[in-house]
Amino acid sequence: MPEPQTTSPFPVRRITTRRGPDPKQDRAARTKLLVLTAAAELFSTQGFRHTSVKDVADRVEMTKGAVYFHYPTKEALAIAVVEQHYARWPMLLEEVTAEGRGPLETAARLLAGAAAAFRDDIVVQAGARLQIERPQIDAELPTPYVDWTELLSALLISARTAGELREGVSPHAAARSLVAAFFGTQHISDVLHERADVVERWSETAELLFRAISAR
């Protein structure tokens, strides 16, 4: 079975901003994660503009000063959430690649896993909202969708080599269509049902799209 070929998928993107100290002890690391999770919950439901550092501090029952020790600005909190959003995808890729499936099925499994993450993972949800609200955040956030498009393009090129892609299908065009359909589906699910049905709605869409590009 051919190995899916990818070129630096989901590179680490460290955003330029003021940052708090890196925790040296487990307790400090747990506290920082607690603050990050609380911020993600608030950013996801209230958005960047309507969330304050005091809101985050109140949620974790800490002082504002304690929160500022870990994250010196509200922008630093938002950036940390966005960075963790992007950090989810390499872990998903490693997990799915370890299953040893062909490249076309790997692409399908990745998108299914991403749909579950958008339904269940508050950091993924918050990161997506913060990307939409990027004009309000005083930092240069990564351009969304690019990494997913490049990864899926590489997988579909491998699928074509393996004879899994229907003749005449352009891997790059198919990748762009899959990304547009996936992120459109998750956005509509968010607006209408707070993503409660995103896995089911993406499954419907994926069945149509992958049937259209598959050689089988």
Side-chain angles (χ1 to χ4, degrees), residues 20-58:
D22 290 330
K24 304 299 183 184
Q25 299 177 345
D26 289 345
R27 181 178 178 181
R30 288 195 298 270
T31 300
K32 190 167 187 175
L33 178 60
L34 184 67
V35 173
L36 176 74
T37 303
E41 292 168 352
L42 290 166
F43 287 142
S44 178
T45 56
Q46 300 178 181
F48 180 78
R49 178 178 296 174
H50 298 292
T51 296
S52 68
V53 173
K54 185 179 185 304
D55 293 333
V56 177
D58 288 346

